[in-house]
Amino acid sequence: MIRAVVRGVGHYLPDRVVPNSEFEAIVETSDEWIRSRSGIERRHFAAVGQMTSDLATRAAQAALADARIDAAQIDAIIVATSTPDLTFPSVATMVQNALGMTKGFAFDVQAVCAGFVYALANANALILSGQATRVLVIGAETFSRLMNWKDRGTCVLFGDGAGAVVLAATEGTGTTADRGILATDLNSDGRYKDILYVDGGTSTGTTGHLVMEGKEVFRHAIEKLSETAHAALDKAGLTSEDVDWIVPHQANIRIIEGTAKRMQVPMDRVVVTVQDHGNTSAASIPLALSVGKARGQIKQGDLVVTEAIGGGLAWGSVVLRW
Ligand code: UT7
């Protein structure tokens, strides 16, 4: 049986690091409030002129180097993003061009903070159905460009960055001992569009700004994230006890802790990067995978559960053996 196995991982963060204290001059807030309510201590912001496709390309190059695979050997690129450089063409085709590829196919997936989980599930489906053998899956965002700098409830929470993995078709035995993606679980419910959205697009002719009812999103997050993680583990024929690492979407340390608690997984088996990156939307999981591997946390053979929720609402989870 064919499995989609992670062959390489990499990330890129823009140079500019913005500590919480910088926001004290912009809105009525404090380092103490941001740390205690979200767990965030700093985040990276892209430079003027540095676009999502630039971040995505750097992360892709790092993942290809880690996989020791040449860009010419990739047959599909999927970029999860809600902050494309332009409405079209896709960021994925821009990355394809930047990597010097003229073959294969590339497209974006837009499921906001759940985007990378959706992109992984799509890449897995392409590989299992024989439509692709090596897929570059990228999460890349420049959410700093969507901020309303007068809204203290949102502008302190988000950051920019990108992460990527190379997935490759690999023969497995069909058991849970196989490396690669073992199960996926995707969900959305459009009734909740008003609690997290960007107020721009073709309807306004502007890019718009992020609007969020934080408390409401928070309320949905812990319940839905633990449910989807359990659902994916169930589909794989595994339980929480089998989990080596939860690699969650990094929105808020309290959501990360609450979800781990409901899954009965101790925090020393959770990869946490929210303090350094803030919420980077679709980039947060591949960033955490890359940092988790670099820290020596995630090792070959480990069972990893990723889970994310964001605007839509859209949420989901992927169970994979590293
Ligand atoms: O990635 C997509 C998914 N997004 C999320 O998962 C985010 C989910 N939500 C959250 O992470 C949290 O709800 C927040 C971090 C956004 C807010 O934390 P909270 O504990 O839910 O605070 P709150 O919104 O209930 O606000 C508490 C108080 C309010 O003041 P009053 O009304 O109690 O007087 C806010 O006005 O904190 C105030 N506040 C702030 N104070 C200082 C809100 N933002 C700030 C701020 N600095 N930056």
Side-chain angles (χ1 to χ4, degrees):
M1 155 172 202
I2 295 294
R3 299 283 196 189
V5 174
V6 175
R7 274 301 152 82
V9 62
H11 72 270
Y12 175 76
L13 289 158
D15 290 340
R16 188 175 161 220
V17 178
V18 180
N20 289 345
S21 54
E22 274 199 30
F23 291 93
E24 292 171 0
I26 306 170
V27 286
E28 198 173 330
T29 191
S30 63
D31 174 45
E32 202 284 317
W33 189 94
I34 301 169
R35 272 174 204 255
S36 62
R37 304 314 293 162
S38 73
I40 298 164
E41 296 172 22
R42 61 194 70 80
R43 75 287 289 139
H44 293 246
F45 281 174
V48 174
Q50 192 177 34
M51 295 292 125
T52 296
S53 65
D54 300 317
L55 275 49
T57 301
R58 296 285 291 265
Q61 287 164 335
L64 287 169
D66 186 48
R68 294 171 209 267
I69 286 177
D70 194 72
Q73 295 172 276
I74 295 292
D75 40 25
I77 301 176
I78 308 178
V79 176
T81 189
S82 302
T83 46
D85 306 19
L86 300 169
T87 302
F88 75 77
S90 65
V91 172
T93 53
M94 295 180 185
V95 172
Q96 184 188 23
N97 181 47
L99 294 176
M101 292 166 56
T102 53
K103 294 210 170 83
F105 61 96
F107 62 97
D108 290 357
V109 161
Q110 203 268 59
V112 204
C113 298
F116 189 74
V117 165
Y118 272 61
L120 275 184
N122 274 280
N124 185 48
L126 288 172
I127 287 173
L128 297 193
S129 63
Q131 295 175 81
T133 53
R134 293 190 193 89
V135 185
L136 194 48
V137 189
I138 306 167
E141 303 278 19
T142 47
F143 259 54
S144 63
R145 305 217 162 94
L146 296 179
M147 292 302 110
N148 171 359
W149 300 109
K150 291 188 175 131
D151 178 10
R152 67 177 182 171
T154 55
C155 73
V156 302
L157 301 175
F158 293 87
D160 302 337
V165 299
V166 176
L167 285 181
T170 308
E171 196 64 46
T173 59
T175 71
T176 56
D178 285 349
R179 290 185 68 201
I181 293 179
L182 301 176
T184 64
D185 182 65
L186 303 181
N187 311 267
S188 63
D189 189 338
R191 284 178 299 171
Y192 301 112
K193 96 173 199 297
D194 292 340
I195 63 173
L196 179 51
Y197 63 100
V198 170
D199 62 359
T202 54
S203 57
T204 60
T206 60
T207 307
H209 296 114
L210 184 142
V211 182
M212 178 168 73
E213 283 180 41
K215 234 188 187 42
E216 273 302 295
V217 178
F218 192 101
R219 204 171 58 76
H220 286 283
I222 295 173
E223 187 187 308
K224 289 183 164 53
L225 289 172
S226 54
E227 269 174 21
T228 185
H230 278 305
L233 282 166
D234 245 17
K235 289 183 197 178
L238 295 163
T239 70
S240 284
E241 285 179 12
D242 300 307
V243 175
D244 291 302
W245 293 103
I246 300 178
V247 182
H249 171 47
Q250 311 280 325
N252 186 317
I253 189 66
R254 292 183 294 138
I255 295 175
I256 294 171
E257 287 170 349
T259 306
K261 193 171 173 197
R262 276 181 83 133
M263 290 179 66
Q264 296 182 298
V265 172
M267 280 304 288
D268 61 6
R269 288 200 269 136
V270 182
V271 176
V272 179
T273 57
V274 68
Q275 69 281 6
D276 296 325
H277 303 163
N279 183 346
T280 58
S281 189
S284 90
I285 287 176
L287 269 165
L289 287 171
S290 182
V291 168
K293 186 194 167 199
R295 281 180 190 156
Q297 292 175 305
I298 305 170
K299 296 188 189 67
Q300 190 167 317
D302 282 354
L303 190 82
V304 174
V305 178
T306 64
E307 30 91 344
I309 185 165
L313 294 175
W315 67 102
S317 139
V318 172
V319 173
L320 63 95
R321 194 170 296 285
W322 193 255

